[in-house]
Amino acid sequence: DNFCCQDLLNMSPSKTGFCEKKARSVLPYLFPCWFKPWKQRFLVLVGGFLYRFESEFGVKVKGVPIPLDSISISYRGECMFEVSMIRKVYRFKTDSEQDAFDWVKAISARKSEAIREALGHAPLDASTRRANNVANAMFHKKLQSER
């Protein structure tokens, strides 16, 4: 079960937009002419997850959705912010300092609300609940494959 970017955009996400994600591979540093160290991604913040797509018309999530309840978010300076989990760190670069601050603020607020929703202390509509369930299954499937 999967969904495309447009499905998520129809759910009134908290924030969307293009950012650059830092590549984790060593190849961009060894062969800078062929591999770029930063890759453009369209981010969608909805429900309890942060989703990454190649564009706003993406038909498949890049990687797995990032669960907000297990992350820490921080501003890193120079238009960058970082989303950290126990096993992985994602670094994103925006076009402006303000946009980086806005992402940190939006992700922090959405994280708090997602935790309230998961505990039953805030309402959660059916489409967002379904998206959370699909994203959660994708995330846990990836964890199982890494064991």
Side-chain angles (χ1 to χ4, degrees):
D1 207 358
N2 202 345
F3 32 71
C4 68
C5 187
Q6 290 298 310
D7 293 335
L8 296 174
L9 292 175
N10 291 332
M11 293 181 194
S12 301
S14 300
K15 185 161 176 59
T16 64
F18 282 100
C19 292
E20 292 184 37
K21 181 186 83 72
K22 187 162 184 148
R24 292 177 10 111
S25 171
V26 71
L27 293 175
Y29 304 100
L30 296 176
F31 307 103
C33 295
W34 296 301
F35 299 96
K36 296 183 180 186
W38 293 90
K39 295 181 180 184
Q40 189 173 57
R41 293 291 179 252
F42 187 78
L43 303 182
V44 181
L45 180 61
V46 65
F49 291 84
L50 178 64
Y51 302 84
R52 295 162 289 137
F53 293 90
E54 282 190 7
S55 76
E56 66 269 39
F57 304 107
V59 294
K60 186 177 178 200
V61 176
K62 295 294 290 179
V64 294
I66 302 168
L68 300 180
D69 62 355
S70 60
I71 63 149
S72 62
I73 177 87
S74 58
Y75 173 72
R76 305 305 283 174
E78 299 180 23
C79 304
M80 289 186 279
F81 65 95
E82 189 173 271
V83 176
S84 303
M85 297 179 6
I86 291 173
R87 304 176 118 194
K88 199 167 191 179
V89 175
Y90 299 90
R91 288 186 182 88
F92 296 99
K93 185 169 32 173
T94 63
D95 288 335
S96 70
E97 296 289 321
Q98 186 60 52
D99 199 23
F101 283 126
D102 291 346
W103 273 107
V104 170
K105 184 177 175 183
I107 292 170
S108 295
R110 188 66 224 138
K111 175 183 176 179
S112 296
E113 190 64 16
I115 291 169
R116 290 182 63 233
E117 291 164 353
L119 294 172
H121 299 285
L124 183 62
D125 64 83
S127 61
T128 305
R129 184 182 321 275
R130 180 186 169 278
N132 282 349
N133 289 341
V134 171
N136 200 35
M138 291 170 71
F139 180 76
H140 287 332
K141 183 178 178 182
K142 176 68 173 172
L143 280 181
Q144 292 297 331
S145 72
E146 291 177 354
R147 287 186 179 178

